[in-house]
């Protein structure tokens, strides 16, 4: 992979460079982001894989897709020759986890939370590699001098999402529960809204000042996570109020006025889908 330097990414507390890979057509394959000591992001589009390098090998969270994983492995090889020890699935959604085969072929152990297994059996995919090892909350994957602890907060975005805690940075890698700069995912088919808020509150109680996100901006202050939680609480309160008052579902989105969140992408346009999900939540209890 050809590597060049780019200085366009502003990351608080992170090293100020990114290496960009390009294919033969000059298209950007992805960006290797330096996120702190022995810690990197491999970003393609808005999706990010997390890379932690230790004495014993590499931990790689979310292979994304076969193509992104292949380029991600090449990106890792610009950093270290150490073996890929673990590939962790943050949760069961295909947009984060396809592509592990390229790492498995190198001898990596594929890891997910135990609660993901039922989804993998129920919804197989030709590019999905089943985990070799399952974890439960609090399990730590060691790379010798670096440890990454798998925190689990129960159902929220699906029911098997883990939040890797990068011990030496004191930072969590938070996938899909918050997307910095964005209002969120509209229809949220398997988000549990109430459990999502609860999980964010529990994550907020962890001792960190910044977190790494699975999409968009790499490193954000804790306040961004809190803002997502407050937005959810505010929009849920409005939908509940209108639901309980008997307002037809189709009329609720027009009643939402939360100017404090207008800077977030998707403000307004994502509300109809949000409302459908939340109205259902208050109508049937899920
Ligand atoms: Zn997801």
């Amino acid at each position: 992979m050809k590597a060049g330097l780019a200085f366009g990414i502003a990351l608080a507390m992170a090293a100020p460079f990114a290496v960009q890979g390009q294919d033969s057509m000059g298209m950007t394959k992805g960006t290797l982001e330096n996120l702190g000591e022995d810690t990197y992001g491999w970003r393609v589009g808005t999706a990010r894989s997390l890379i932690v390098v230790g004495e014993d090998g590499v931990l790689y969270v979310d292979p994304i897709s076969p193509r992104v994983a292949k380029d991600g492995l090449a990106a890792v090889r610009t950093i270290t020759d150490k073996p890929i020890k673990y590939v962790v699935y943050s949760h069961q959604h295909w947009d984060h986890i396809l592509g592990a085969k390229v790492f498995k072929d190198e001898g990596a152990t594929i890891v997910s939370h135990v609660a993901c297994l039922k989804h993998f059996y129920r919804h197989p995919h030709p590019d999905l590699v089943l985990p070799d090892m399952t974890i439960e909350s609090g399990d730590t994957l060691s790379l010798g001098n670096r440890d990454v602890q798998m925190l689990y907060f129960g159902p929220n975005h699906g029911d098997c999402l883990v939040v890797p805690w990068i011990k030496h940075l004191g930072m969590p890698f938070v996938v899909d529960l918050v997307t910095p700069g964005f209002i969120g995912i509209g229809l949220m088919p398997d988000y549990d809204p109430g459990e999502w808020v609860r999980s964010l509150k529990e994550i907020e109680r962890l001792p960190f000042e910044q977190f790494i996100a699975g999409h968009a901006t790499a490193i954000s202050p804790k306040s961004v996570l809190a803002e997502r939680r407050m937005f959810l609480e505010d929009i849920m309160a409005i939908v509940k109020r209108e639901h309980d008052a008997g307002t037809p579902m189709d009329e609720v989105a027009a009643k939402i006025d939360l100017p404090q969140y207008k800077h977030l992408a998707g403000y307004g346009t994502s509300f109809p889908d949000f409302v459908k999900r939340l109205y259902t939540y208050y109508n049937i209890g899920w």
Side-chain angles (χ1 to χ4, degrees):
M1 176 179 117
K2 292 236 171 77
L5 291 179
F7 292 87
I9 293 181
L11 300 174
M13 297 288 289
F17 72 89
V19 179
Q20 293 196 329
Q22 295 188 330
D23 65 18
S24 58
M25 302 294 286
M27 300 289 286
T28 299
K29 286 181 175 177
T31 303
L32 184 63
E33 305 163 317
N34 191 335
L35 304 180
E37 194 176 7
D38 295 334
T39 307
Y40 303 84
W42 175 242
R43 176 174 171 169
V44 179
T46 67
R48 175 172 295 100
S49 308
L50 176 75
I51 299 160
V52 180
V53 181
E55 282 175 0
D56 295 349
V58 175
L59 180 144
Y60 194 103
V61 183
D62 284 356
I64 308 291
S65 74
R67 190 184 74 81
V68 171
K70 180 169 169 283
D71 293 342
L73 177 58
V76 170
R77 289 294 165 242
T78 68
I79 309 165
T80 180
D81 293 328
K82 290 186 185 297
I84 310 296
K85 192 170 180 190
Y86 298 112
V87 171
V88 176
Y89 296 158
S90 64
H91 61 303
Q92 87 275 17
H93 290 158
W94 289 346
D95 61 324
H96 287 270
I97 63 170
L98 302 182
K101 183 174 184 302
V102 67
F103 298 106
K104 174 118 177 161
D105 289 347
E106 295 243 327
T109 298
I110 315 299
V111 181
S112 82
H113 190 274
V114 65
C116 290
L117 288 179
K118 61 183 180 296
H119 302 292
F120 298 152
Y121 294 143
R122 199 183 298 154
H123 303 291
H125 185 288
D127 292 324
L128 172 62
V129 179
L130 289 173
D132 303 301
M133 183 176 128
T134 57
I135 47 171
E136 300 193 41
S137 183
D139 286 351
T140 294
L141 298 177
S142 179
L143 303 170
N145 62 328
R146 301 291 181 219
D147 286 340
V148 183
Q149 189 174 14
M150 300 298 144
L151 304 180
Y152 176 69
F153 297 91
N156 38 52
H157 176 76
D159 65 355
C160 71
L161 184 138
V162 292
V163 176
W165 176 257
I166 307 156
K167 283 194 175 176
H168 71 282
L169 296 185
M171 275 204 259
F173 178 53
V174 185
V175 177
D176 284 0
L177 294 176
V178 53
T179 300
F182 290 81
I183 208 86
I185 300 165
L187 200 52
M188 311 184 292
D190 66 354
Y191 277 100
D192 182 314
E195 300 287 348
W196 187 6
V197 169
R198 175 197 52 73
S199 295
L200 287 172
K201 283 181 179 171
E202 292 181 15
I203 294 168
E204 283 175 66
R205 282 189 217 116
L206 297 173
F208 68 95
E209 294 176 1
Q210 296 180 304
F211 68 97
I212 301 170
H215 289 284
T217 307
I219 297 180
S220 299
K222 184 186 273 189
S223 59
V224 167
L225 201 133
E227 181 184 55
R228 166 59 63 91
R229 188 255 309 156
M230 290 185 281
F231 166 71
L232 287 169
E233 290 177 320
D234 289 345
I235 194 169
M236 287 172 74
I238 293 170
V239 175
K240 182 172 190 327
R241 181 190 73 206
E242 297 300 326
H243 169 271
D244 292 353
T247 305
M249 185 166 69
D250 291 348
E251 296 174 18
V252 175
K255 294 178 181 290
I256 297 169
D257 182 28
L258 296 167
Q260 65 270 42
Y261 306 112
K262 271 190 176 149
H263 60 287
L264 297 173
Y267 180 91
T269 55
S270 65
F271 288 174
D273 281 343
F274 257 124
V275 166
K276 276 182 202 160
R277 176 69 190 93
L278 296 173
Y279 201 94
T280 305
Y281 178 70
Y282 290 117
N283 212 30
I284 66 171
W286 189 88

